[in-house]
């Protein structure tokens, strides 16, 4: 639905990659996400805004 309307979607989570694979990839939910910023991708995890700021890099 969102993809058809060209709405970009991403996941920002404090989950580690292993847990993300179990929770999202194994259920096929990752196919709806353009990218994922996970706990291992930043030194300052949520609730710090740093992980969300990383999403802006995908627009450059």
């Amino acid at each position: 639905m969102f993809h058809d309307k060209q709405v970009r979607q991403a996941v920002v989570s404090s989950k580690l990659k292993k847990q993300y694979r179990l929770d999202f990839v194994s259920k096929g939910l990752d196919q709806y996400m353009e990218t994922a910023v996970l706990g291992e991708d930043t030194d300052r995890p949520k609730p710090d805004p740093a992980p969300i700021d990383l999403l802006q890099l995908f627009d450059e």
Side-chain angles (χ1 to χ4, degrees), residues 8-55:
R8 298 173 77 187
Q9 297 181 92
V11 170
V12 176
S13 175
S14 57
K15 292 179 185 287
L16 301 178
K17 291 176 185 175
K18 181 179 179 181
Q19 191 64 45
Y20 175 77
R21 284 192 294 269
L22 288 171
D23 294 345
F24 282 82
V25 177
S26 69
K27 294 171 180 69
L29 298 173
D30 63 311
Q31 69 179 322
Y32 302 107
M33 303 301 150
E34 187 172 331
T35 191
V37 177
L38 304 174
E40 298 160 318
D41 297 324
T42 180
D43 293 331
R44 298 179 353 231
K46 291 182 353 182
D48 191 284
I52 295 171
D53 293 341
L54 286 174
L55 290 176

Side-chain angles (χ1 to χ4, degrees), residues 1-9 32-33:
M1 179 175 161
F2 290 116
H3 181 72
D4 295 340
K5 297 182 192 275
Q6 298 181 350
V7 174
R8 298 173 77 187
Q9 297 181 92
Y32 302 107
M33 303 301 150

